[in-house]
Each structure stands twice: as C-alpha cells, then as structure tokens.
Amino acid sequence: GAVVSQHPSWVICKSGTSVKIECRSLDFQATTMFWYRQFPKQSLMLMATSNEGSKATYEQGVEKDKFLINHASLTLSTLTVTSAHPEDSSFYICSARGNRGIQQPQHFGDGTRLSIL
Amino acid sequence: SQKIEQNSEALNIQEGKTATLTCNYTNYSPAYLQWYRQDPGRGPVFLLLIRENEKEKRKERLKVTFDTTLKQSLFHITASQPADSATYLCALVSTGTASKLTFGTGTRLQVTL
C-alpha cells in the first residue's frame, strides 16, 4: 500500500527554536498534502492543505507565519514551526493524497512528537 | 454547528465477538465517509471508504454501513481479535468543503481474551 514517511518522529527542543518536519510520499505522487495536529485524547485537527507548487491554505486560527509549509515537489512537503513555544508542543501528522481527488483515501505518516521546553 | 460524534467511552469486547462502533454526524453533507485505525503514537491507517450513494461496504472482517437519512455510519469488526485493539476514527469528506477530511474523536476498542 501507499507509504508516507514523516521525519523526525520525535523532537525535544528549547523555547524559541525553529523545528522543521518532513513528509515524503514514497511510492506515489502526492498532489495534495495535509498537516494535522493532535492533542492527547483529541481528534486530528487540520492545520493546512497544500498542493504541489502552490501556497498552502491554512485553517481558521492557524498562524501561517508561525507554521510555514512548503510543498515544492510531488513527493515532499515540509512544516516548519518557527520560534516554537511550549504551547506548540503536540503530535503533528502529515498525510498525502494522489491525483484522483477526494474519492481517494489519505495516507498518513506516523507523526512527529514535538516537545518544547 | 457541525459535529462528528463517536462514543468517547472505550468499547470492551471479548475475542471472537463482533465489535460495532458508531459515528453520527450533524450538519454535514458527506460525499464520502472513511474509517481509520490509529494505534498509540502512530498516524491513522486507512481502512474503508464508503460513498454517499452506497449502503454497505465490506473488506475481509470489516463492514461499514452508511445511512444518510439517520446521518450515521456503523463500523463492524467480526470475529474480533486482541490485535484489533486500537482507536477507530471516522472521517467525512463533505461536499463543498474543498475536499477536506474532518475527523471524529475516535472510539477506543479493547478486545480481550
């Protein structure tokens, strides 16, 4: 089946640091990639949607200058959490979908646990 | 307001029984409904997709039903096994929402010997 690789799986860093998370589709071309955040015992909340070569579309309440998304190729999207603070600590998950649109399922990475001290 | 509701209480069943999980939604017009499995500390894994004009979908021991009148989907696991223990998420792709997938909060299933 389709594989999405997310890296790193776990980050601990000091407040004020910027952290970059990578998401790669390994065996298909990801026309659209999505970034989610999940707090303990809560559901996945969509942060932004990105299409290859276009600017990301952010959900209401998500700061685009705080969470920089780049989707430069059909196999790679990155999320950079800039000047991270403890309240940014969460589980960040990317997903990718191919070029047949909404009738396809999304394939998820295994998430990045971000802890800001 | 829009809601996707799943039973927040864990479902505990005995091995070999059928597990039935419920997903109810409010103020959505779903084009597709999907079910995912999520293990602790991992990303969701896709299980089944059912379209708005389909009543039922099966895959091996899994069965999903979709009732757009009741605004409900049921997810069944027959002959359940301890390895089926996980959190199960339902998710909707709604018409007119630019293909965004919105998740319910999930139901934790625990299958015991």
Side-chain angles (χ1 to χ4, degrees):
Chain A
V3 178
V4 173
S5 173
Q6 190 172 338
H7 178 80
S9 56
W10 185 52
V11 180
I12 299 177
C13 58
K14 292 181 181 178
S15 186
T17 307
S18 291
V19 178
K20 180 186 278 190
I21 302 169
E22 290 189 351
C23 180
R24 295 181 185 272
S25 57
L26 298 185
D27 56 357
F28 69 103
Q29 292 188 326
T31 308
T32 308
M33 284 187 166
F34 305 85
W35 288 94
Y36 293 83
R37 182 165 53 182
Q38 186 176 34
F39 292 104
K41 299 196 184 300
Q42 293 188 24
S43 189
L44 284 77
M45 297 302 296
L46 181 65
M47 299 174 67
T49 303
S50 71
N51 292 296
E52 183 263 338
S54 303
K55 286 185 180 179
T57 301
Y58 290 81
E59 294 300 299
Q60 194 171 14
V62 178
E63 299 175 56
K64 60 183 178 183
D65 294 331
K66 173 78 169 175
F67 300 100
L68 301 178
I69 292 170
N70 183 281
H71 188 170
S73 77
L74 285 171
T75 59
L76 174 65
S77 176
T78 60
L79 168 68
T80 302
V81 184
T82 61
S83 186
H85 292 286
E87 60 266 27
D88 299 321
S89 299
S90 188
F91 190 50
Y92 291 86
I93 311 174
C94 72
S95 75
R97 190 176 66 205
N99 59 8
R100 287 190 290 121
I102 65 172
Q103 63 183 319
Q104 289 183 280
Q106 290 176 205
H107 299 283
F108 287 80
D110 265 342
T112 297
R113 176 75 57 194
L114 176 62
S115 296
I116 308 297
L117 304 176
Chain B
S1 61
Q2 292 181 318
K3 288 183 185 177
I4 302 173
E5 294 180 301
Q6 296 183 255
N7 194 339
S8 58
E9 291 183 14
L11 177 63
N12 294 293
I13 65 164
Q14 199 172 20
E15 183 181 21
K17 303 290 185 185
T18 296
T20 298
L21 287 73
T22 304
C23 175
N24 295 294
Y25 58 91
T26 308
N27 293 326
Y28 278 101
S29 297
Y32 301 91
L33 189 144
Q34 303 178 22
W35 283 88
Y36 289 79
R37 168 185 173 140
Q38 187 176 24
D39 290 284
R42 306 292 296 274
V45 174
F46 170 75
L47 297 174
L48 280 168
L49 178 154
I50 188 164
R51 294 174 173 77
E52 61 176 334
N53 59 352
E54 296 177 315
K55 297 290 186 187
E56 183 178 297
K57 207 75 168 286
R58 290 175 185 260
K59 179 182 175 184
E60 297 172 353
R61 294 185 296 112
L62 308 180
K63 184 177 84 171
V64 171
T65 63
F66 194 12
D67 189 326
T68 54
T69 301
L70 289 179
K71 300 186 185 300
Q72 181 182 79
S73 175
L74 299 178
F75 178 77
H76 306 272
I77 305 175
T78 57
S80 57
Q81 305 164 0
D84 296 326
S85 300
T87 296
Y88 290 86
L89 305 165
C90 76
L92 300 178
V93 176
S94 193
T95 55
T97 60
S99 74
K100 290 189 291 188
L101 194 62
T102 306
F103 283 87
T105 51
T107 298
R108 169 85 184 144
L109 173 67
Q110 185 70 43
V111 181
T112 55
L113 295 170

